[in-house]
Amino acid sequence: MKTLNIVLVEPQIPQNTGNISRTCAVTGARLHLVRPFGFEITDKHLKRAGLDYWDKLDITYYEGLDDFFARTSGKYFYFTTKGRHVHSEVEYPDGCYLVFGREDAGLPEELLYKNPDTCVRIPMRPALRSLNLSNSVAIGTYEVLRQWDYPELSTEGQLTKYVW
């Protein structure tokens, strides 16, 4: 199976991280959490949002961006409102990392400036600030999986009271 990595840099809102953990669990994506966090991993809001899925996660923790880059390698795509490329026009290779910044500040501009070719943007109206972090992660995740033809994911469901 192909590997997709979702990276949250300094997440601040436990409900977002919980929702993202659920997205990672149901898609098989690996979750990477970069400290510091704006909450404790034991936070009840985090657990409630991803409670049934927490034990299904492949999750790694890092002490900061330097630790993250020292322990990982591959192709990184930085999701940002400042991106110069549309997220759906990029080809995502196996093992890639989708990197998302904190809800209130995004990713460090120095990091973005050093990586202009891999900064991607989800199109939105120009007068509005940004999408919710968990929505952005879901959009990015499913674009990659669509390009990969949804490997090892079920693409049809069944009714519970009837048969199609």
Side-chain angles (χ1 to χ4, degrees), residues 120-141:
V120 297
R121 174 183 170 85
I122 299 169
M124 62 189 87
R125 292 171 59 194
L128 301 175
R129 189 177 42 157
S130 65
L131 288 166
N132 173 275
L133 178 60
S134 62
N135 291 337
S136 296
V137 171
I139 290 167
T141 298

Side-chain angles (χ1 to χ4, degrees), residues 41-114:
I41 291 299
T42 57
D43 188 290
K44 66 180 179 178
H45 299 294
L46 170 76
K47 293 293 188 179
R48 186 174 354 180
L51 184 63
D52 296 340
Y53 301 89
W54 201 254
D55 64 328
K56 312 285 188 284
L57 285 172
D58 181 347
I59 186 167
T60 307
Y61 300 94
Y62 304 88
E63 292 305 318
L65 273 175
D66 290 341
D67 183 34
F68 169 73
F69 286 118
R71 294 170 48 196
T72 62
S73 63
K75 186 78 170 177
Y76 304 99
F77 294 92
Y78 304 98
F79 277 70
T80 172
T81 58
K82 300 165 181 79
R84 298 166 59 194
H85 307 284
V86 175
H87 78 288
S88 57
E89 295 175 352
V90 172
E91 288 186 35
Y92 299 93
D94 183 15
C96 67
Y97 292 81
L98 307 187
V99 184
F100 298 84
R102 52 188 286 164
E103 292 92 337
D104 60 348
L107 292 164
E109 283 205 356
E110 180 180 7
L111 177 65
L112 302 176
Y113 181 74
K114 290 180 178 179

